[in-house]
Amino acid sequence: MPPSTPTPDVDADVTRLAGELVTAASRLVRQVRRSSPQVAPALRVLAMLDDHGPITVGRVAELDGTSQPTATAAVRGLVRQGWVQRTPHPVDARSTLLGLTPAGRSTLAEQRRRNAALVRDRLVAAGRHSPDDLARAVDLLRALTEGTA
């Protein structure tokens, strides 16, 4: 059965709620990032490498919406920390690929645990949401970010 065409009222409600969803998700991300402000930029790069790696610095810049010099500086710091390693690109000898080291993977996992605990504590304190509510929210956000909504 083909999807029905929304009425103007339904479309307006969906548009309003979609905007509220983006705003609320952005606020939550900012609040979680404020809990570890010195780590947030590094975590973005580590998460990109976890999701997309191994990738080039140019791809990091593209995914992060930054310039290549900015991405290069961020990566340089992560290499110094021992969280990212450079390996020769198998096809382009002028380029290197970036990947997570075990220490980088561990750092990312630990920060994700902290972030989850922060959100969990807020959910428990609110006492209004069931695990099923949370599962539906996760499903919706995944579908939206993966383009399957």
Side-chain angles (χ1 to χ4, degrees):
M1 176 186 227
S4 61
T5 303
T7 65
D9 288 343
V10 169
D11 189 48
D13 285 344
V14 169
T15 299
R16 178 184 55 77
L17 289 168
E20 288 180 22
L21 177 66
V22 170
T23 299
S26 296
R27 284 181 183 150
L28 177 61
V29 168
R30 282 192 305 274
Q31 289 171 4
V32 168
R33 283 185 178 160
R34 276 193 293 255
S35 71
S36 299
Q38 71 284 2
V39 183
L43 287 178
R44 278 197 324 270
V45 175
L46 295 178
M48 277 184 255
L49 292 174
D50 187 45
D51 291 343
H52 303 280
I55 56 177
T56 63
V57 171
R59 182 72 174 134
V60 169
E62 180 184 322
L63 289 167
D64 201 30
T66 60
S67 68
Q68 188 150 343
T70 298
T72 298
V75 166
R76 192 175 297 127
L78 296 173
V79 169
R80 270 196 309 271
Q81 289 280 7
W83 295 343
V84 170
Q85 64 186 359
R86 296 176 184 267
T87 57
H89 196 291
V91 177
D92 182 356
R94 300 166 297 160
S95 188
T96 59
L97 292 176
L98 306 170
L100 290 175
T101 64
R105 199 168 296 287
S106 176
T107 297
L108 180 61
E110 178 56 31
Q111 191 59 47
R112 285 177 169 168
R113 280 190 291 276
R114 286 184 192 150
N115 293 348
L118 179 79
V119 173
R120 178 206 58 223
D121 291 349
R122 289 176 179 208
L123 288 166
V124 168
R128 300 185 333 211
H129 306 287
S130 71
D132 287 342
D133 293 337
L134 188 54
R136 280 192 298 279
V138 169
D139 285 344
L140 175 60
L141 288 172
R142 257 197 202 121
L144 290 169
T145 59
E146 294 170 1
T148 60

PDB file of all heavy atoms in Angstrom, residues 139-149:
ATOM      1  N   ASP A 139      15.838   3.783  17.596  1.00  0.00           N
ATOM      2  CA  ASP A 139      15.468   3.329  16.251  1.00  0.00           C
ATOM      3  C   ASP A 139      15.195   4.516  15.326  1.00  0.00           C
ATOM      4  O   ASP A 139      15.635   4.529  14.178  1.00  0.00           O
ATOM      5  CB  ASP A 139      14.236   2.420  16.291  1.00  0.00           C
ATOM      6  CG  ASP A 139      14.528   1.033  16.815  1.00  0.00           C
ATOM      7  OD1 ASP A 139      15.714   0.642  16.881  1.00  0.00           O
ATOM      8  OD2 ASP A 139      13.559   0.330  17.163  1.00  0.00           O
ATOM      9  N   LEU A 140      14.468   5.497  15.818  1.00  0.00           N
ATOM     10  CA  LEU A 140      14.146   6.667  15.010  1.00  0.00           C
ATOM     11  C   LEU A 140      15.405   7.447  14.644  1.00  0.00           C
ATOM     12  O   LEU A 140      15.617   7.789  13.474  1.00  0.00           O
ATOM     13  CB  LEU A 140      13.157   7.577  15.752  1.00  0.00           C
ATOM     14  CG  LEU A 140      12.840   8.899  15.064  1.00  0.00           C
ATOM     15  CD1 LEU A 140      12.222   8.671  13.693  1.00  0.00           C
ATOM     16  CD2 LEU A 140      11.922   9.735  15.943  1.00  0.00           C
ATOM     17  N   LEU A 141      16.267   7.707  15.622  1.00  0.00           N
ATOM     18  CA  LEU A 141      17.483   8.467  15.336  1.00  0.00           C
ATOM     19  C   LEU A 141      18.404   7.697  14.387  1.00  0.00           C
ATOM     20  O   LEU A 141      19.007   8.286  13.486  1.00  0.00           O
ATOM     21  CB  LEU A 141      18.206   8.820  16.633  1.00  0.00           C
ATOM     22  CG  LEU A 141      17.508   9.890  17.469  1.00  0.00           C
ATOM     23  CD1 LEU A 141      18.180  10.035  18.828  1.00  0.00           C
ATOM     24  CD2 LEU A 141      17.467  11.221  16.746  1.00  0.00           C
ATOM     25  N   ARG A 142      18.501   6.393  14.570  1.00  0.00           N
ATOM     26  CA  ARG A 142      19.314   5.587  13.637  1.00  0.00           C
ATOM     27  C   ARG A 142      18.763   5.673  12.226  1.00  0.00           C
ATOM     28  O   ARG A 142      19.508   5.832  11.262  1.00  0.00           O
ATOM     29  CB  ARG A 142      19.322   4.127  14.090  1.00  0.00           C
ATOM     30  CG  ARG A 142      20.563   3.744  14.756  1.00  0.00           C
ATOM     31  CD  ARG A 142      20.758   2.251  14.836  1.00  0.00           C
ATOM     32  NE  ARG A 142      21.669   2.047  15.930  1.00  0.00           N
ATOM     33  CZ  ARG A 142      21.414   1.340  17.006  1.00  0.00           C
ATOM     34  NH1 ARG A 142      20.291   0.682  17.123  1.00  0.00           N
ATOM     35  NH2 ARG A 142      22.294   1.254  17.966  1.00  0.00           N
ATOM     36  N   ALA A 143      17.453   5.520  12.099  1.00  0.00           N
ATOM     37  CA  ALA A 143      16.843   5.579  10.765  1.00  0.00           C
ATOM     38  C   ALA A 143      17.100   6.940  10.124  1.00  0.00           C
ATOM     39  O   ALA A 143      17.377   7.023   8.916  1.00  0.00           O
ATOM     40  CB  ALA A 143      15.338   5.299  10.864  1.00  0.00           C
ATOM     41  N   LEU A 144      17.005   7.996  10.902  1.00  0.00           N
ATOM     42  CA  LEU A 144      17.242   9.326  10.353  1.00  0.00           C
ATOM     43  C   LEU A 144      18.702   9.532   9.949  1.00  0.00           C
ATOM     44  O   LEU A 144      18.987  10.101   8.902  1.00  0.00           O
ATOM     45  CB  LEU A 144      16.827  10.399  11.361  1.00  0.00           C
ATOM     46  CG  LEU A 144      15.322  10.535  11.593  1.00  0.00           C
ATOM     47  CD1 LEU A 144      15.037  11.415  12.796  1.00  0.00           C
ATOM     48  CD2 LEU A 144      14.643  11.086  10.349  1.00  0.00           C
ATOM     49  N   THR A 145      19.620   9.061  10.773  1.00  0.00           N
ATOM     50  CA  THR A 145      21.040   9.268  10.459  1.00  0.00           C
ATOM     51  C   THR A 145      21.548   8.333   9.373  1.00  0.00           C
ATOM     52  O   THR A 145      22.520   8.635   8.696  1.00  0.00           O
ATOM     53  CB  THR A 145      21.927   9.127  11.716  1.00  0.00           C
ATOM     54  OG1 THR A 145      21.753   7.824  12.274  1.00  0.00           O
ATOM     55  CG2 THR A 145      21.594  10.201  12.738  1.00  0.00           C
ATOM     56  N   GLU A 146      20.882   7.201   9.200  1.00  0.00           N
ATOM     57  CA  GLU A 146      21.292   6.252   8.164  1.00  0.00           C
ATOM     58  C   GLU A 146      20.486   6.426   6.877  1.00  0.00           C
ATOM     59  O   GLU A 146      20.696   5.692   5.917  1.00  0.00           O
ATOM     60  CB  GLU A 146      21.152   4.823   8.691  1.00  0.00           C
ATOM     61  CG  GLU A 146      22.120   4.522   9.821  1.00  0.00           C
ATOM     62  CD  GLU A 146      21.871   3.205  10.537  1.00  0.00           C
ATOM     63  OE1 GLU A 146      20.917   2.467  10.140  1.00  0.00           O
ATOM     64  OE2 GLU A 146      22.596   2.909  11.478  1.00  0.00           O
ATOM     65  N   GLY A 147      19.560   7.380   6.881  1.00  0.00           N
ATOM     66  CA  GLY A 147      18.783   7.665   5.690  1.00  0.00           C
ATOM     67  C   GLY A 147      17.742   6.613   5.355  1.00  0.00           C
ATOM     68  O   GLY A 147      17.326   6.491   4.206  1.00  0.00           O
ATOM     69  N   THR A 148      17.293   5.888   6.368  1.00  0.00           N
ATOM     70  CA  THR A 148      16.293   4.830   6.128  1.00  0.00           C
ATOM     71  C   THR A 148      14.942   5.171   6.730  1.00  0.00           C
ATOM     72  O   THR A 148      14.079   4.302   6.796  1.00  0.00           O
ATOM     73  CB  THR A 148      16.782   3.480   6.689  1.00  0.00           C
ATOM     74  OG1 THR A 148      16.993   3.605   8.102  1.00  0.00           O
ATOM     75  CG2 THR A 148      18.060   3.034   5.998  1.00  0.00           C
ATOM     76  N   ALA A 149      14.773   6.413   7.172  1.00  0.00           N
ATOM     77  CA  ALA A 149      13.519   6.802   7.816  1.00  0.00           C
ATOM     78  C   ALA A 149      12.392   6.911   6.797  1.00  0.00           C
ATOM     79  O   ALA A 149      12.586   7.143   5.650  1.00  0.00           O
ATOM     80  CB  ALA A 149      13.676   8.145   8.541  1.00  0.00           C
TER      81      ALA A 149
END
